[in-house]
């Protein structure tokens, strides 16, 4: 499925965050190692929060950017984005978990950057720049907090 409008892309991002939250929560419930369980629970909660934040964009579109038509709908198909994210079924330690989370975050950040560069109207470019900056901040928060978890 190719996205035709910004709102379809953001709805997919909501679903993507929810699926990651479920995946992390499931992995957490299967863990014996307390640090790994805590790291996975933390990431599941962060994914739920990111989903809520994207949902707010969908509910509160004051600029009309969500109705903007994407110019390259046939070239950007979401399953290719998912292919970049390694499966963390076999996570051995907290660093494996963090590496997986960073791959997912970087994938979204790259997508937001690309969408911002391809934007046809200023409100669309501004939206994707804001989303990219938020994703970057989220990456820093996750690295910091999981690093703290490993220190203690």
């Amino acid at each position: 499925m190719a996205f035709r409008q910004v709102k379809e892309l953001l709805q997919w991002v909501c679903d993507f965050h929810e699926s990651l939250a479920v995946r992390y929560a499931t992995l957490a419930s299967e863990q014996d190692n307390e640090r790994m369980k805590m790291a996975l629970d933390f990431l599941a909660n962060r994914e739920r929060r990111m989903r809520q934040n994207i949902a707010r964009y969908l509910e509160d579109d004051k600029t009309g950017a969500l109705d903007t038509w994407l110019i390259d709908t046939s070239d950007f198909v979401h399953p290719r984005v998912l292919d970049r994210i390694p499966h963390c079924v076999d996570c051995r330690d907290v660093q494996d978990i963090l590496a997986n989370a960073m791959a997912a975050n970087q994938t979204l950040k790259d997508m937001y950057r690309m969408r911002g560069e391809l934007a046809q109207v200023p409100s669309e470019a501004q939206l994707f720049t804001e989303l990219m900056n938020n994703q970057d901040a989220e990456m820093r928060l996750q690295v910091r907090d999981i690093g703290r978890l490993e220190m203690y």
Side-chain angles (χ1 to χ4, degrees), residues 20-31 33-49 97 146 149:
L20 281 178
V22 168
R23 186 179 305 168
Y24 290 140
T26 301
L27 284 170
S29 70
E30 298 168 352
Q31 289 298 318
N33 181 302
E34 192 61 30
R35 285 181 195 251
M36 288 181 62
K37 181 176 178 52
M38 289 171 62
L40 288 162
D41 282 337
F42 165 76
L43 289 172
N45 289 333
R46 293 306 307 171
E47 290 298 331
R48 285 186 193 98
R49 179 167 291 176
I97 294 167
I146 289 179
L149 174 68

Side-chain angles (χ1 to χ4, degrees), residues 98-109:
L98 180 59
N100 185 264
M102 289 303 103
N105 282 313
Q106 188 63 48
T107 298
L108 289 175
K109 183 179 169 186

Side-chain angles (χ1 to χ4, degrees), residues 72-143:
D72 62 339
T73 59
S74 63
D75 295 334
F76 185 77
V77 181
H78 64 83
R80 283 188 272 161
V81 173
L82 289 176
D83 291 342
R84 285 190 48 197
I85 300 169
H87 297 286
C88 198
V89 178
D90 195 23
C91 291
R92 296 177 309 276
D93 58 26
V94 174
Q95 284 304 311
D96 284 350
I97 294 167
L98 180 59
N100 185 264
M102 289 303 103
N105 282 313
Q106 188 63 48
T107 298
L108 289 175
K109 183 179 169 186
D110 291 347
M111 180 184 66
Y112 294 146
R113 178 183 294 116
M114 180 190 77
R115 296 281 15 135
E117 290 169 358
L118 294 173
Q120 296 295 300
V121 294
S123 60
E124 179 188 4
Q126 183 179 1
L127 170 68
F128 285 113
T129 298
E130 186 175 327
L131 290 170
M132 182 184 68
N133 291 338
N134 291 348
Q135 197 68 42
D136 194 44
E138 181 63 31
M139 290 171 73
R140 288 190 307 273
L141 181 142
Q142 288 179 10
V143 168

